[in-house]
Amino acid sequence: QVQLVESGGGLVQPGGSLRLSCAASGNIFRINDMRWYRRAPGKEREWVATITSGSNTAVADSLKGRFTISRDNAKNTVHLQMNSLKPEDTAVYYCYADLQTELRRSLYWGQGTQVTVSS
């Protein structure tokens, strides 16, 4: 059974930084795209960033220059480095993976990690 487990969320002051991690575990044959999404209070889920199996990256235009996505293929882990955080970055951040097990290709979501930016 595949699991995605996020970590690294918490409370940070405006202007601060956080690094989120998401580790995939289970009977994984191959991980394709990995992504981060977020959902702020009262808003719809928003795409944040994507990294392909070849480490090509894309970040939402509104977050470019502050957020960086990376991955460690050996550890089946994706990271989201968030700098210069603003109160509007407050949200639950979710990890997503398009991966292949021995049986099938499926999409998986983590349980989410809360990020709160407040003084």
Side-chain angles (χ1 to χ4, degrees):
Q1 184 174 356
V2 174
Q3 282 189 314
L4 299 182
V5 178
E6 297 106 334
S7 61
L11 173 64
V12 63
Q13 292 187 342
S17 298
L18 281 177
R19 186 178 190 238
L20 305 184
S21 297
C22 172
S25 62
N27 189 17
I28 299 169
F29 177 70
R30 174 187 170 87
I31 300 179
N32 300 309
D33 287 0
M34 300 188 82
R35 305 177 190 175
W36 288 95
Y37 289 82
R38 68 183 184 183
R39 176 170 284 165
K43 295 187 177 181
E44 294 191 354
R45 186 176 61 200
E46 174 188 22
W47 170 73
V48 173
T50 297
I51 186 165
T52 68
S53 58
S55 293
N56 294 311
T57 63
V59 177
D61 287 344
S62 62
L63 302 175
K64 285 180 180 176
R66 297 194 299 122
F67 286 23
T68 303
I69 188 170
S70 61
R71 66 191 282 172
D72 183 339
N73 290 329
K75 296 181 179 180
N76 289 340
T77 299
V78 63
H79 304 286
L80 184 69
Q81 179 66 42
M82 306 185 294
N83 299 326
S84 303
L85 283 163
K86 304 175 181 179
E88 51 263 43
D89 295 318
T90 295
V92 179
Y93 284 72
Y94 297 92
C95 174
Y96 160 108
D98 170 357
L99 61 85
Q100 180 78 41
T101 66
E102 288 186 352
L103 297 177
R104 65 180 64 88
R105 178 176 178 174
S106 297
L107 309 178
Y108 293 87
W109 291 88
Q111 81 287 354
T113 186
Q114 177 70 47
V115 171
T116 302
V117 184
S118 175
S119 55

